[in-house]
């Protein structure tokens, strides 16, 4: 019961926001029309039912005019049915894409907000494959929610339409139990209700493990797909290592997880199907068994019994929604759990306490002041203690052994490393003074070269002449005429060219602070020297803070800040 309540709460939390959003009138009117058309379709089946009686009467009475008039009536009915069904389908699909689009925007927004996408991968928040949750789980959620709730509504309407008929037909139909006869009003209706209730409970009991199995199936499918994409993106690395055998083994191992889970699903679905089929078969003879005593004793005629059997079938059909839709319900429940846990993980990532305080320095200060900073790894292991000042106009080189925490220090300054405590006082004039971080492996979006150089600013926000000049200055003259060309530049350019592209970004965007994390490591020393010279010439007001291992870098900076590792493995900077 508690689980059902939790499920309903989760369903409401996922469903309600769209129908309360700025799109609510569009959404609600579309939903209203779909529900109306759906009910109209149920009504048409009731009309068709009474048509059967008139049609058979006409046949029995060999009434030719009545026969043709009924054929005409049926044609009209069929035409209306087809039009309504098509319209209902089209509107249903339209609502699905509107709703999915709204949810996708919302989830993408939440995922990006406060850099949750990054935090989610820093530490384990118990959520896998966010891409799949946004791309597939949302699609599945929208279509299942509409499909299942409309199906449920049809069943309820159908139940209400036929329950009255069955109640009247059963009259005081006596129920024989253990040789005793009971006169119960609407007896057959009660029998149908109890039969379906027991059936639903047993279905739930047998099918319950399907929820977690479906949850897992989504996860292993997503793992497999993700690794295929990773393999494709690293095609060159694999090809150079000739690592195909290892990749194939790994990918088939991933597929093995899919296969194993699928086997468990097969076993569970066989059990469920055995019961569901038995339940549906038994109902064929069940009402006969209930009424046959009355028939043999002569209390009722065959026609009366047949009428009751048919009404019983309708009611049972409506009540069996849960039994018949159980597999779909199990997938839907797993889907809702995946979306709910994803949201919860995002909230947890956002709520991660930020003990590294970023604030503006004293009025008038143009420096970065790092005070009592103690950074740690996601598991809490201490990594780095630092207190120092980065002075505007004084280029600094940060050095230290590999793994000592230089990049993590940059992450903390950029505000994306949430593990640790301390103060980072930003220059008072920020954010109008812009800061740009260039990592060792630059990220380049797929698209035009113009977008690649302008990134992270939006394409079009920097004029082409500036971009061309920046490319030429960064020794990428060969690319200046290709601004309109679309490509996967990250794959196409060499490591050194990618780093030069990142330098071109800095030249075009003219930040006040430029942090270079081994951003020239893939270049030869001559090229590195030229690029630092051009950065100094073109960006005279920019302070450059670099991380690097090469001693040749010292010449381009006025100051060196060294990370010394102490005996306990924690690095320290104690320069002023
Ligand atoms: N998300 C993470 N989870 C666990 N450990 C991490 C994570 N990110 C970084 N580390 C660890 O933190 C330490 C510092 O990493 P960092 O990249 O800052 O070193 P670095 O000084 O820049 O090294 P290099 O000179 O080799 O680039 C490393 O031991 C690294 O393995």
């Amino acid at each position: 019961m508690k689980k059902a309540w939790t499920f309903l709460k989760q369903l409401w939390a996922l469903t309600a926001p769209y129908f309360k959003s700025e799109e609510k009138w569009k959404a609600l009117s579309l939903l209203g029309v779909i529900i109306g058309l759906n009910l109209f379709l149920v009504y048409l089946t009731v009309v068709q039912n009474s048509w059967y009686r008139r049609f058979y009467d006409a046949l029995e009475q060999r009434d030719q005019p009545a026969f043709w008039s009924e054929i005409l009536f049926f044609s009209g009915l069929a035409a209306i049915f087809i039009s309504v069904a098509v319209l209902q389908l089209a509107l249903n699909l339209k609502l699905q894409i509107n709703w999915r689009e709204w949810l996708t925007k919302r989830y993408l927004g939440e995922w990006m907000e406060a850099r949750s996408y990054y935090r989610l991968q820093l530490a384990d928040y118990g959520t896998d494959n966010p891409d799949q949750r946004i791309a597939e789980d949302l699609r599945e959620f929208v279509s299942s929610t509409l499909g299942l709730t409309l199906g449920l509504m049809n069943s309820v309407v159908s139940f209400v339409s036929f329950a009255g008929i069955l109640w009247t037909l059963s009259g005081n139909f006596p129920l024989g139990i253990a040789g005793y006869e009971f006169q119960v009003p609407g007896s057959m209706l009660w029998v149908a209700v109890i039969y379906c209730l027991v059936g639903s409970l047993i279905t739930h009991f047998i099918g319950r493990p399907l929820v977690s199995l479906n949850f897992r199936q989504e996860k292993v499918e997503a793992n497999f797909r993700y690794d295929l994409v990773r393999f494709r993106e690293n095609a060159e690395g694999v090809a150079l290592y000739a690592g195909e055998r290892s990749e194939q083994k790994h990918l088939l191992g991933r597929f093995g997880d899919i296969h194993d889970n699928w086997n468990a699903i097969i076993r569970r679905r066989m059990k469920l199907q055995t019961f569901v089929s038995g339940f549906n078969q038994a109902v064929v003879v069940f009402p006969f068994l209930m009424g046959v005593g009355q028939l043999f004793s002569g209390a009722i005629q065959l026609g009366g019994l047949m009428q009751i059997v048919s009404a019983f079938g309708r009611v049972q059909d409506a009540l069996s929604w849960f039994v018949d839709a159980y597999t779909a319900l199990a997938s839907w429940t797993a889907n809702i759990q995946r979306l709910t846990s994803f949201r919860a993980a995002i909230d947890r990532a956002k709520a991660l306490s930020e003990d590294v305080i970023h604030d503006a320095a004293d009025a008038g200060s143009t420096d970065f002041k790092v005070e009592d900073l103690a950074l740690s790894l996601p598991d809490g292991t201490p990594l780095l203690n630092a207190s120092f000042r980065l002075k505007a106009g004084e280029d600094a080189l940060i050095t230290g052994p590999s793994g000592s925490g230089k990049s993590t220090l940059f992450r903390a300054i950029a505000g994306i490393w949430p593990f640790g405590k301390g103060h980072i006082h930003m220059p008072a004039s920020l954010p109008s003074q812009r800061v740009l971080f260039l990592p060792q492996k630059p990220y380049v979006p797929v698209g035009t070269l113009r977008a690649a150089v302008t990134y992270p600013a939006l394409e079009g926000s920097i004029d082409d002449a500036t971009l061309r000049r920046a490319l030429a200055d960064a020794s990428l003259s060969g690319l200046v005429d290709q601004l309109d060309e679309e490509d996967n530049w990250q794959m196409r350019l060499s490591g050194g060219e990618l780093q030069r592209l990142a330098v071109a970004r800095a030249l075009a965007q003219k930040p006040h602070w430029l942090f270079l994390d081994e951003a020239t490591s893939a270049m030869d020393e001559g090229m590195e020297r030229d690029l630092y010279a051009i950065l100094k010439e073109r960006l005279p007001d920019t302070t450059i803070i670099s991380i690097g291992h090469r001693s040749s870098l010292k010449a381009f900076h006025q100051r060196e800040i060294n990370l010394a590792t102490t005996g306990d493995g924690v690095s320290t900077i104690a320069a002023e």
Side-chain angles (χ1 to χ4, degrees):
M1 203 60 211
K2 201 165 152 252
K3 273 192 181 163
W5 180 239
T6 312
F7 169 77
L8 286 176
K9 271 206 317 212
Q10 291 177 344
L11 175 61
W12 180 250
L14 284 170
T15 311
Y18 177 56
F19 293 95
K20 289 181 184 167
S21 71
E22 65 292 346
E23 283 188 28
K24 70 175 167 209
W25 294 120
K26 194 165 110 189
L28 285 171
S29 44
L30 207 48
L31 183 67
V33 175
I34 292 168
I35 291 176
L37 291 177
N38 209 41
L39 292 178
F40 188 61
L41 283 175
V42 179
Y43 168 74
L44 288 182
T45 48
V46 175
V47 173
Q48 201 179 30
N49 245 317
S50 60
W51 172 83
Y52 267 113
R53 185 181 42 74
R54 296 199 309 276
F55 185 66
Y56 282 112
D57 280 352
L59 280 178
E60 197 174 30
Q61 289 154 19
R62 288 158 178 69
D63 183 345
Q64 250 196 39
F67 171 82
W68 287 113
S69 116
E70 288 305 331
I71 289 283
L72 200 66
F73 181 85
F74 179 81
S75 310
L77 196 67
I80 295 173
F81 192 95
I82 294 165
S83 320
V84 173
V86 171
L87 185 63
Q88 201 256 21
L89 175 76
L91 294 180
N92 191 314
L93 294 176
K94 182 76 190 140
L95 177 59
Q96 281 187 33
I97 193 70
N98 288 352
W99 189 0
R100 184 179 164 200
E101 187 175 32
W102 187 88
L103 279 171
T104 305
K105 274 189 202 155
R106 183 161 187 234
Y107 269 71
L108 264 184
E110 301 257 354
W111 191 39
M112 303 263 171
E113 202 183 299
R115 300 205 172 97
S116 305
Y117 60 94
Y118 177 67
R119 290 180 172 197
L120 282 176
Q121 67 173 35
L122 281 181
D124 182 18
Y125 288 93
T127 185
D128 59 87
N129 301 296
D131 40 289
Q132 188 232 25
R133 298 194 192 210
I134 291 174
E136 279 176 34
D137 285 343
L138 285 179
R139 172 174 53 80
E140 186 59 37
F141 168 71
V142 166
S143 73
S144 297
T145 304
L146 276 178
L148 286 166
T149 45
L150 287 178
L152 175 64
M153 194 188 70
N154 279 0
S155 294
V156 171
V157 173
S158 194
F159 171 73
V160 172
S161 317
F162 288 97
I165 299 174
L166 187 59
W167 178 280
T168 319
L169 284 177
S170 348
N172 277 345
F173 197 81
L175 288 180
I177 298 171
Y180 295 99
E181 278 204 348
F182 298 92
Q183 298 291 336
V184 185
S187 53
M188 291 301 272
L189 178 64
W190 293 118
V191 170
V193 169
I194 291 167
Y195 181 79
C196 292
L197 207 64
V198 172
S200 298
L201 284 175
I202 299 176
T203 303
H204 182 53
F205 183 71
I206 301 175
R208 213 167 24 179
L210 273 179
V211 175
S212 52
L213 285 172
N214 282 330
F215 190 101
R216 200 177 128 68
Q217 189 69 21
E218 291 299 317
K219 177 177 165 164
V220 291
E221 295 274 2
N223 286 345
F224 179 55
R225 211 167 27 241
Y226 178 73
D227 284 358
L228 281 172
V229 173
R230 246 191 118 235
F231 166 65
R232 177 165 59 87
E233 294 215 318
N234 291 289
E236 189 178 272
V238 177
L240 283 172
Y241 278 117
E244 302 81 17
R245 253 166 39 111
S246 170
E247 284 301 316
Q248 196 166 3
K249 185 160 178 285
H250 171 75
L251 288 168
L252 289 177
R254 284 291 200 204
F255 192 82
D257 295 339
I258 294 180
H259 197 145
D260 291 346
N261 198 62
W262 192 249
N263 279 342
I265 289 183
I266 293 178
R267 285 192 292 277
R268 189 47 60 177
R269 290 215 25 201
M270 274 173 69
K271 285 183 192 157
L272 185 62
Q273 192 60 31
T274 307
F275 175 74
V276 172
S277 300
F279 176 85
N280 285 330
Q281 292 297 317
V283 89
V284 176
V285 289
F286 188 72
F288 284 102
L289 294 177
M290 296 297 300
V292 77
Q294 295 290 308
L295 182 79
F296 291 153
S297 71
I300 54 167
Q301 297 300 304
L302 181 62
L305 179 64
M306 288 308 293
Q307 239 179 341
I308 291 177
V309 167
S310 132
F312 185 91
R314 290 277 173 190
V315 169
Q316 177 272 331
D317 210 30
L319 287 175
S320 301
W321 175 83
F322 186 76
V323 175
D324 294 334
Y326 196 84
T327 313
L329 276 171
S331 302
W332 188 44
T333 313
N335 173 269
I336 286 171
Q337 281 177 6
R338 285 179 65 77
L339 287 173
T340 307
S341 60
F342 181 42
R343 266 306 297 268
I346 290 180
D347 289 344
R348 272 203 304 283
K350 272 194 209 157
L352 197 70
S353 72
E354 294 224 17
D355 295 329
V356 178
I357 315 282
H358 279 75
D359 49 18
D362 311 330
S365 169
T366 50
D367 301 343
F368 270 97
K369 194 172 155 204
V370 176
E371 203 175 29
D372 300 329
L373 185 68
L375 298 179
S376 54
L377 296 180
D379 64 4
T381 312
L383 175 68
L384 167 93
N385 294 323
S387 281
F388 62 97
R389 190 186 278 267
L390 296 173
K391 296 187 189 108
E394 188 181 59
D395 298 337
L397 174 66
I398 299 181
T399 55
S402 170
S404 54
K406 302 180 293 297
S407 300
T408 310
L409 176 65
F410 268 22
R411 292 177 193 125
I413 294 174
I416 65 170
W417 189 260
F419 311 103
K421 57 184 189 323
H423 276 267
I424 297 175
H425 301 288
M426 316 284 278
S429 45
L430 280 176
S432 60
Q433 271 197 339
R434 295 199 22 264
V435 183
L436 192 66
F437 286 84
L438 301 190
Q440 189 176 7
K441 279 182 260 162
Y443 166 72
V444 186
V446 175
T448 61
L449 181 63
R450 181 181 295 102
V453 190
T454 317
Y455 192 86
L458 295 181
E459 185 172 3
S461 59
I462 302 176
D463 63 89
D464 284 1
T466 308
L467 297 179
R468 286 205 185 90
R469 183 159 169 213
L471 283 170
D473 283 347
S475 304
L476 289 171
S477 311
L479 295 180
V480 287
D481 295 325
Q482 299 182 35
L483 285 178
D484 287 317
E485 198 167 321
E486 293 207 13
D487 209 332
N488 186 347
W489 293 96
Q490 187 127 17
M491 302 283 269
R492 174 164 149 184
L493 298 179
S494 74
E497 284 172 332
L498 278 173
Q499 290 192 337
R500 276 181 271 155
L501 183 93
V503 170
R505 274 180 192 162
L507 290 168
Q509 301 190 19
K510 303 181 178 54
H512 284 79
W513 290 84
L514 180 60
F515 289 82
L516 302 169
D517 185 354
E518 300 187 46
T520 49
S521 58
M523 300 171 204
D524 59 70
E525 290 188 7
M527 173 78 71
E528 185 173 64
R529 191 178 47 241
D530 292 348
L531 280 183
Y532 267 95
I534 205 91
L535 278 172
K536 286 313 305 166
E537 185 189 326
R538 297 277 190 247
L539 307 175
D541 298 328
T542 303
T543 309
I544 297 176
I545 312 293
S546 309
I547 290 177
H549 291 285
R550 283 189 198 153
S551 54
S552 54
L553 279 173
K554 286 182 190 167
F556 313 124
H557 302 84
Q558 286 115 38
R559 182 180 170 208
E560 185 180 339
I561 298 173
N562 188 255
L563 263 77
T565 317
T566 50
D568 53 6
V570 182
S571 313
T572 45
I573 303 176
E576 210 338 77

